[in-house]
Amino acid sequence: MKVTLPDAFLPANVCSARIHDNVFVIFIMIIAGVFWLHRLIKFIYNICCYWEIRSFYINALRIPMADLPYFTWQEVQARIIEIQKEHQMCIHKKELSELDIYHRILRFKNYMVAMVNKSLLPVQLHLPLLGNVVFLTQGLKYNFELIFFWGPGSLFQNKWNLHPKYKRAGNRLELATQLSRVILLAGLANLLLCPFILVWQVLYAFFSYTETIKREPGSLGARRWSLYGRLYLRHFNELDHELHGRLGRGYKPVSKYMNSFTSPLFTVIAKNVAFFSGSILAVLIALTVYDEDVLTVQHILTAITMLGVVVTVTRSFIPDEHMVWCPEQLLQCVLAHIHYMPDHWKGNANKSETRDEMAQLFQYKAVFILEELLSPIVTPFILIFFLRHKSLEIIDFFRNFTVEVVGVGDICSFAQMDIRKHGNPQWLSEGQTEASVYQQAENGKTELSLMHFTIKNPRWHPPQESSFFISHLKEKVHHDAAGAPPAQHILSEAPLFSSLLSNESGTAPDNLLASVIAHPVLTASGLPGRDRRFVQPSTTASAAASVLASLSTSQQPSRTRSHILLPSTYPENPMYRSDRTVIEESMSGNDSCIRSINRSALLSEFASAEMSLHAIYMHEVHQQSSLPQQVSGQWQASVPLGDLQSNPGSLSQSSQPESLSGLSQLRLGGWTEEAEEEEEEIVNEPPALSGSGVGS
């Protein structure tokens, strides 16, 4: 007799009688009811926010909802700037710049990025037996923001202004004591609410991940960027969609790097467990096909499900037999997208310590879920025993690194990307910064953030100090490119390296990165180049400089607005000479709307590739300045920017690398049939094409 759905539910009076004396079940049901009510309220709130945003886009920006998906952020931002001139949405400032808009959106996030960069937040713990552990969860992050920004007793008196008393140094000790008391109360509140929050977390994990685990058991073995990784790798003034896109591009390279580390013993165990579990599962499936009554046996469905989960999980730990072991090149690919890497990772990509530190940024999803479940227990102790003792440092940080901007409010001074105030002399800003060690951003955060923001916002006019840094950086790029092989030779190595890393994309931006990483490896190995001649070994920095210089529209460095390498979608400063060749060839179809979308997407990819090249180049120069490297049998250090300033004429026009305006004749990563024809084309090609291309 089959049991129907109504038979599965007990009457209300019978159900209440059974749970009347069970306090734990009543507690769980109350928490579950509050959870569902919270989700409903949050859903209604999000709908109201969406409707308000929708009205702003339609009425203020004059962008219909049907066309909004096809607008880029730069186009939306340009309309906001124009609307400000007409309607004065910000009453304290006549005109808004791109940086003002970013500051208003990312006010608190820039503070969080700066505090992680200066190691102010206690998220790196040294525990017995476990060693150095990074612990940052949604709950702990929520408590940080509650204490610093918008909770009762927080440092900010509203959403845009720091309380005036925290800007004065006279009563810093008293303010530190007051903040310590607030942190202690927050920790005690978390400790008292720990049982409720723990049940909440368990219910949230159950409702969110049970269906996913049943459908894709291997998802627990997948990796994701940790919360700490997102803050550590985030640039100042980087919007959420920009960060997600950048980390998304780096997902495959970092996954390949992490998967390249295998344990022979663990692999053997995983293979045998998968074999035995799969064998039993195959027998049970065959029996159910032969006789469906087998499914009526008690727990048979549970056994089939669990065996399937075991097989899926164990197979995810078995390495790919076709994988090529090249950790240094994989880590270089990762750096191209994440833009930040500790100095001691260089040359140690094959070490387990490097992999463990990378795992702190790129963790298993199962570890993420476990940390979230443990968060209600661990968070109170971090607040009480670790964060509370940093109260004075936090007070000093907000006083020293908060500036007021008219029309924006109080912002983190690091977000201004001021090289003079926060530059690091070890990151190409020597002689341009007055910052002390305390004022410097670590890991080149100021310099890399400035380059990222400049590339993403080509219409932005940086202040004088920032323009000076970018101009000198471009001068150094051209100087290093003068002694490097031509860009065409470097680009020709891209297909081989893409094959080595199993890169299926093969797009023009990917080939730019692949060629830079491949060329030093191939030349150092003694392999002949495309023209069947042996090429003098070169460094990754010189290869990156050659490709970057070939993308530049101007032949000589200047300190005007033209020093920025900009996408050709912006009429002020075209970025690539090849936009009429590569981009047009990469698009198919006659629909102008679709072509416009594809063009914008491809230009965005090229801009991301340019930033990746800058990240590789700046890291390589930083490493060379820290430890001179031996090139071609001689010890050579990088040329300081001061030498470039004192010898501006050292960059002759004939020494500039060949432009990429001829990419219609030489496809990125293409191979020619006859080496003699290619050599003749290279010899006859003029050294500079200043009169051609979009930028002429």
Side-chain angles (χ1 to χ4, degrees), residues 202-492:
V202 172
L203 289 175
Y204 180 83
F206 176 77
F207 292 141
S208 302
Y209 301 114
T210 301
E211 187 274 335
T212 302
I213 296 174
K214 179 182 180 301
R215 177 169 41 87
E216 299 178 6
S219 61
L220 291 177
R223 291 184 178 269
R224 68 186 302 276
W225 295 104
S226 64
L227 291 179
Y228 170 77
R230 293 175 182 274
L231 288 176
Y232 175 83
L233 300 174
R234 189 168 194 158
H235 293 295
F236 294 123
N237 303 309
E238 185 174 20
L239 295 174
D240 290 342
H241 74 273
E242 296 172 345
L243 175 66
H244 295 162
R246 181 164 61 87
L247 297 184
R249 296 183 188 94
Y251 186 88
K252 285 186 178 181
V254 72
S255 296
K256 292 177 182 178
Y257 173 75
M258 298 299 290
N259 293 335
S260 64
F261 290 85
T262 59
S263 171
L265 177 61
F266 192 78
T267 300
V268 172
I269 294 175
K271 287 182 177 180
N272 285 276
V273 171
F275 173 77
F276 289 116
S277 301
S279 301
I280 300 174
L281 179 61
V283 172
L284 293 179
I285 293 176
L287 289 176
T288 56
V289 173
Y290 177 74
D291 186 2
E292 64 178 7
D293 292 336
V294 175
L295 295 175
T296 61
V297 179
Q298 189 177 13
H299 301 310
I300 192 66
L301 287 177
T302 304
I304 293 176
T305 303
M306 294 304 299
L307 287 172
V309 171
V310 170
V311 170
T312 305
V313 172
T314 52
R315 284 183 177 175
S316 65
F317 292 102
I318 300 176
D320 184 8
E321 60 182 2
H322 304 293
M323 180 179 58
V324 181
W325 172 252
C326 48
E328 288 293 342
Q329 286 69 43
L330 283 171
L331 193 60
Q332 195 80 297
C333 284
V334 174
L335 173 63
H337 296 289
I338 67 176
H339 300 170
Y340 294 99
M341 186 178 74
D343 293 340
H344 62 270
W345 286 9
K346 181 71 174 180
N348 296 315
N350 60 334
K351 301 294 182 62
S352 59
E353 293 81 3
T354 303
R355 178 195 178 277
D356 294 339
E357 293 182 10
M358 177 65 79
Q360 296 175 351
L361 308 177
F362 195 62
Q363 61 182 178
Y364 282 115
K365 193 170 185 178
V367 175
F368 166 76
I369 297 175
L370 180 62
E371 288 182 350
E372 291 295 331
L373 293 177
L374 294 176
S375 179
I377 302 174
V378 179
T379 296
F381 294 96
I382 292 180
L383 296 178
I384 295 174
F385 297 105
F386 293 95
L387 183 65
R388 191 163 60 93
H389 299 297
K390 288 179 171 287
S391 299
L392 184 59
E393 297 178 47
I394 295 172
I395 293 296
D396 291 338
F397 176 87
F398 277 90
R399 185 187 69 255
N400 294 326
F401 301 124
T402 296
V403 294
E404 183 177 359
V405 178
V406 177
V408 178
D410 291 333
I411 63 170
C412 181
S413 61
F414 285 101
Q416 290 184 310
M417 303 173 295
D418 192 333
I419 299 296
R420 183 175 60 86
K421 293 182 179 179
H422 299 298
N424 192 325
Q426 296 181 355
W427 286 86
L428 291 89
S429 59
E430 184 177 2
Q432 304 177 42
T433 179
E434 302 173 358
S436 63
V437 177
Y438 174 70
Q439 296 171 325
Q440 295 171 4
E442 306 299 330
N443 301 321
K445 179 76 76 172
T446 302
E447 292 79 6
L448 287 168
S449 297
L450 175 61
M451 292 305 302
H452 178 268
F453 188 84
T454 304
I455 292 173
K456 289 293 184 180
N457 299 273
R459 290 191 177 96
W460 176 61
H461 294 271
Q464 182 178 0
E465 294 81 5
S466 301
S467 298
F468 189 74
F469 170 79
I470 299 174
S471 298
H472 275 263
L473 176 60
K474 186 180 178 183
E475 289 180 9
K476 182 164 178 57
V477 166
H478 280 263
H479 181 277
D480 292 348
Q488 285 85 346
H489 287 180
I490 297 176
L491 289 174
S492 65

